[in-house]
Amino acid sequence: MTVSSKTSSVDVNLDLKYGPLINGQIVEAADGYIDVVNASTGEVLAQIGKGGTEDVDKAVKAARAAFPAWAATPIEARSSILNKIADILEENQERLKLIESMETGRAIHEFDLDYALAINQFRYFAGAVLTHYVGESRPVDNGYLITKKEPLGVCAQIIPWNVPMIMTSFKLAPALAAGNTLVLKPAEDACLSVLEFGKLIQEVLPEGVVNMVPGIGKEAGQALIDHPDVDKLAFTGSVDVGRIVGRAAGDRILPVTLELGGKAPHIVFPDVDIDAAVENATLGYTFFNGESCILGTRLLVHDDIYDEFVEKLIERAKKVKIGPPTDRSTRLASLINKKQGERVLNYFEIAKQEGAKILYGGNRVTVPGHEHGYFIEPTIIEAEPHMRIAQEEIFGPAATVTRWSDIDEAVRIANDVKYGLAAGIMTNDIENGLTVANKVQAGSVWINSYFNFQTGAPFGGYKNSGVGREHGKEALDAYSQSKTIVAAFKLPPLGTFL
Ligand code: NAD
Ligand code: MN
């Protein structure tokens, strides 16, 4: 482990206070303000509105008022605006990345991936929407049948703190492309890059199409999902809050999209180049500080190579550079906050009590000048598949290692969790790779390259990992409803039915 300290020179230029963004303007928050702090230094970066029913109501009203005109805007014009949003994100990315690195505590270099993905989302949906409205039209007896897609209306969208701009793009791009207006509630711990982005894109959007209400989950978030005038709920975050959002949707018969976490298996076959596999596995469990639902946190390693693989995995973990988030050479930085840090450390205690063996790591590390942060060593734990450490989402830089000796056993262990968001497989035998990929219960399976996101591919979870898909064309359907129109040339002659 290496500790370094060097900071970036881009100016973050934040406002002192961010109330809700309503009708194109940041306005005064109705229920007071809370601090947003730099995750690793504790320095107050800005204040955000606490959020509550009044702020939410104003935002929903703005979105409602803007809806008819936005829905009626020709798709070519909406497409062009989405491309302009992508350009704005691209032009402003260095500053937004720095803000996001400071508030999340994540290493600045990671945001190159986040922002490339986010920019791509807007460009993808700018293109995809041009084909979205090609419905069916065919002659029927004495007339024509037409099917068409219509937007849903006002969308309520809630996102977490781990990958703010990726989440913002996943929510905004398909909703806007399909002709909806929206109110986004970013997470209280990391929302400043999102609010700044929200401000910047107002230049190319009509007033009230994109509104944002920052604030506390139980207040701003709850008020948003409970608002009587929203037409769709979309949420990414914990399973517990996902259930609350799902119930709110059920009570009011609203369409809902939920993305709720994971515990991805990463299966290693004995035919791999072990050094390359260790590198890919390390990326897979340490990227995003381990604070992501797609991480490959359960390493299932074939018996024949287990000892050598694990030894090399430990050696590789020792070399992962822990340092200040805004230092370009840092590879692992600070978790979001104390609560998350203690939660992760507590899981290591649980692991020990269960009889799992911490083979490397397990400790908090101090980085000079960043004492507020929870920097956690890359942690490798030998565990039985049934143990809590191998079943529950940790959301920290930790992986369990477990042996397997035949493919059916690997698949059984891989599927024996309540989640099913992602999975990884490493092998030179593509037949084995695809056979396992077909049997793994996961929405995304990456063979030989973890996090291999491809533009337009559906993303979402099996089992408790959620409901619905984002990121691809299915997302446009999730933000649309279909209408069937049957037009007869004339009324049926008298006496046809009676
Ligand atoms: P959370 O689910 O509480 O927060 C996610 C978002 O939901 C935030 O914007 C929050 O303000 C909002 N929220 C909270 N309570 C709400 C409510 N009652 N109504 C409406 N919105 C509400 O997540 P957390 O507490 O920040 O993290 C806890 C754990 O959740 C993590 O350790 C991790 O395991 C998991 N998690 C998963 C993801 C993911 O990408 N799937 C993201 C973040 C956290
Ligand atoms: Mn919470």
Side-chain angles (χ1 to χ4, degrees):
M1 176 202 69
T2 331
V3 175
S4 68
S5 59
K6 198 174 88 227
T7 47
S8 164
S9 57
V10 184
D11 188 2
V12 295
N13 196 19
L14 288 164
D15 296 346
L16 289 176
K17 284 201 302 188
Y18 294 81
L21 174 64
I22 296 172
N23 269 328
Q25 303 284 335
I26 294 278
V27 298
E28 202 60 44
D31 297 294
Y33 290 84
I34 52 172
D35 292 341
V36 177
V37 301
N38 179 312
S40 67
T41 65
E43 172 207 0
V44 176
L45 293 170
Q47 292 201 307
I48 55 161
K50 259 172 80 185
T53 50
E54 198 177 323
D55 286 343
V56 164
D57 189 53
K58 280 189 214 147
V60 171
K61 285 200 168 94
R64 176 60 62 199
F67 175 62
W70 183 247
T73 301
I75 50 170
E76 293 83 353
R78 290 211 299 266
S79 168
S80 154
I81 288 175
L82 283 168
N83 274 320
K84 286 181 191 153
I85 292 176
D87 293 343
I88 290 173
L89 191 50
E90 197 162 43
E91 282 155 23
N92 291 278
Q93 60 179 317
E94 291 316 318
R95 176 172 157 252
L96 296 174
K97 284 173 184 173
L98 182 57
I99 296 170
E100 212 165 304
S101 171
M102 290 164 79
E103 55 183 346
T104 59
R106 283 178 47 213
I108 187 86
H109 95 100
E110 294 189 348
F111 291 95
D112 294 347
L113 184 139
D114 289 48
Y115 277 65
L117 199 58
I119 292 163
N120 234 335
Q121 285 300 296
F122 289 103
R123 299 231 163 94
Y124 171 78
F125 284 104
V129 72
L130 298 176
T131 66
H132 181 54
Y133 291 90
V134 182
E136 193 189 357
S137 176
R138 61 180 162 89
V140 293
D141 259 1
N142 279 315
Y144 273 93
L145 165 103
I146 300 161
T147 63
K148 59 176 295 223
K149 309 248 191 212
E150 294 182 354
L152 296 167
V154 175
C155 302
Q157 304 180 318
I158 297 176
I159 58 171
W161 40 260
N162 56 341
V163 288
M165 197 55 70
I166 292 179
M167 286 296 127
T168 301
S169 70
F170 275 31
K171 298 288 181 277
L172 262 58
L176 294 176
N180 303 277
T181 59
L182 60 94
V183 178
L184 177 81
K185 196 210 79 74
E188 51 271 47
D189 290 292
C191 53
L192 300 176
S193 66
V194 176
L195 291 161
E196 277 294 323
F197 172 64
K199 278 167 58 183
L200 289 167
I201 62 178
Q202 297 303 320
E203 183 193 322
V204 297
L205 280 166
E207 253 178 37
V209 171
V210 170
N211 307 278
M212 296 182 179
V213 180
I216 296 167
K218 283 200 170 89
E219 298 176 26
Q222 190 74 46
L224 183 56
I225 61 174
D226 288 341
H227 196 286
D229 198 32
V230 298
D231 302 301
K232 152 108 192 174
L233 306 182
F235 171 80
T236 301
S238 63
V239 177
D240 288 345
V241 178
R243 285 202 176 89
I244 297 173
V245 177
R247 267 183 224 119
D251 283 345
R252 310 211 306 289
I253 321 293
L254 296 178
V256 63
T257 304
L258 302 173
E259 200 273 276
L260 308 178
K263 189 74 180 175
H266 201 170
I267 303 169
V268 193
F269 275 76
D271 63 18
V272 293
D273 169 338
I274 295 183
D275 293 307
V278 161
E279 187 75 12
N280 191 38
T282 303
L283 170 85
Y285 84 89
T286 60
F287 208 80
F288 305 112
N289 287 331
E291 295 167 310
S292 164
C293 45
I294 55 176
L295 291 193
T297 53
R298 289 186 297 141
L299 291 165
L300 309 183
V301 186
H302 191 275
D303 212 27
D304 289 354
I305 57 160
Y306 183 89
D307 292 334
E308 187 185 348
F309 182 92
V310 171
E311 192 187 316
K312 288 184 163 169
L313 192 70
I314 292 169
E315 289 313 306
R316 188 65 192 82
K318 290 180 187 164
K319 294 198 196 104
V320 172
K321 192 169 174 190
I322 300 177
T326 54
D327 184 332
R328 269 254 148 210
S329 66
T330 294
R331 287 296 174 272
L332 189 59
S334 167
L335 299 188
I336 186 77
N337 56 26
K338 181 170 187 209
K339 182 181 145 207
Q340 189 62 26
E342 306 269 299
R343 182 189 142 101
V344 170
L345 293 172
N346 185 46
Y347 264 112
F348 299 156
E349 289 312 308
I350 293 170
K352 287 182 214 160
Q353 283 159 22
E354 287 180 303
K357 229 163 93 191
I358 302 206
L359 301 178
Y360 180 74
N363 303 301
R364 182 180 177 189
V365 175
T366 310
V367 173
H370 299 263
E371 287 78 7
H372 183 81
Y374 273 75
F375 296 80
I376 311 268
E377 291 171 310
T379 300
I380 300 158
I381 306 151
E382 192 169 50
E384 300 286 333
H386 67 269
M387 293 175 174
R388 284 183 65 193
I389 193 78
Q391 289 283 326
E392 299 175 17
E393 189 171 54
I394 312 298
F395 242 55
T400 57
V401 284
T402 301
R403 292 171 194 267
W404 60 274
S405 50
D406 76 79
I407 292 189
D408 289 342
E409 185 190 15
V411 170
R412 186 173 45 72
I413 298 171
N415 287 338
D416 188 23
V417 285
K418 64 181 182 177
Y419 293 108
L421 190 62
I425 300 162
M426 289 189 265
T427 177
N428 284 317
D429 182 336
I430 201 68
E431 185 183 350
N432 276 341
L434 288 174
T435 302
V436 173
N438 281 324
K439 291 182 178 171
V440 168
Q441 296 160 338
S444 295
V445 185
W446 294 296
I447 301 175
N448 291 331
S449 176
Y450 215 76
F451 304 130
N452 198 348
F453 271 103
Q454 294 295 318
T455 309
F459 173 75
Y462 283 45
K463 303 191 278 189
N464 278 13
S465 288
V467 175
R469 296 290 180 269
E470 299 186 288
H471 196 261
K473 269 201 97 146
E474 284 179 59
L476 282 173
D477 285 331
Y479 283 100
S480 308
Q481 50 198 335
S482 297
K483 181 177 279 177
T484 300
I485 302 172
V486 184
F489 293 138
K490 46 180 177 278
L491 284 165
L494 276 177
T496 307
F497 302 114
L498 298 174

